[in-house]
Amino acid sequence: MSLEAVRDAIDSCTESETAAFARRTRNAIAQAILEEALAHHDEPAPDHAPPVGELRRTVGDDLGVTLAAVYEGGSEWTSRAIDALEPLHALARGR
């Protein structure tokens, strides 16, 4: 399932430096968007809430909230995921 890898990446926000976290999450989001585009299917709800506080501390308030929304899924998750790609790319490159 496409969001499972994204959720795993987001759950790792406290396990590595910001650039590594951003790179892993950016790549997982890009892959999930491609999978969704090729085969639309319903994603199951996550088994726990996203780590919003940790995300906000790791990547800032705006991106943290966006990643939490992607984590939760729903009908608009791909739009939110696309919005997260550029800021994650900047963080991954150390900007």
Side-chain angles (χ1 to χ4, degrees):
M1 303 247 163
S2 52
L3 272 177
E4 187 174 331
V6 174
R7 290 174 179 149
D8 288 345
I10 289 172
D11 282 337
S12 76
C13 70
T14 60
E15 297 172 9
S16 58
E17 66 163 327
T18 300
F21 165 75
R23 192 170 26 261
R24 179 179 182 198
T25 304
R26 176 200 62 200
N27 294 346
I29 285 174
Q31 182 65 37
I33 290 169
L34 288 174
E35 287 178 17
E36 181 68 16
L38 295 174
H40 181 76
H41 57 277
D42 292 332
E43 293 285 345
D47 58 357
H48 61 277
V52 179
E54 291 87 354
L55 285 169
R56 293 173 96 174
R57 281 188 292 280
T58 302
V59 297
D61 290 336
D62 292 340
L63 184 53
V65 169
T66 299
L67 290 175
V70 171
Y71 190 99
E72 291 174 352
S75 63
E76 298 294 317
W77 79 263
T78 54
S79 295
R80 293 182 192 105
I82 290 168
D83 292 342
L85 287 174
E86 185 176 341
L88 284 169
H89 183 67
L91 287 171
R93 296 187 58 161
R95 293 184 193 164

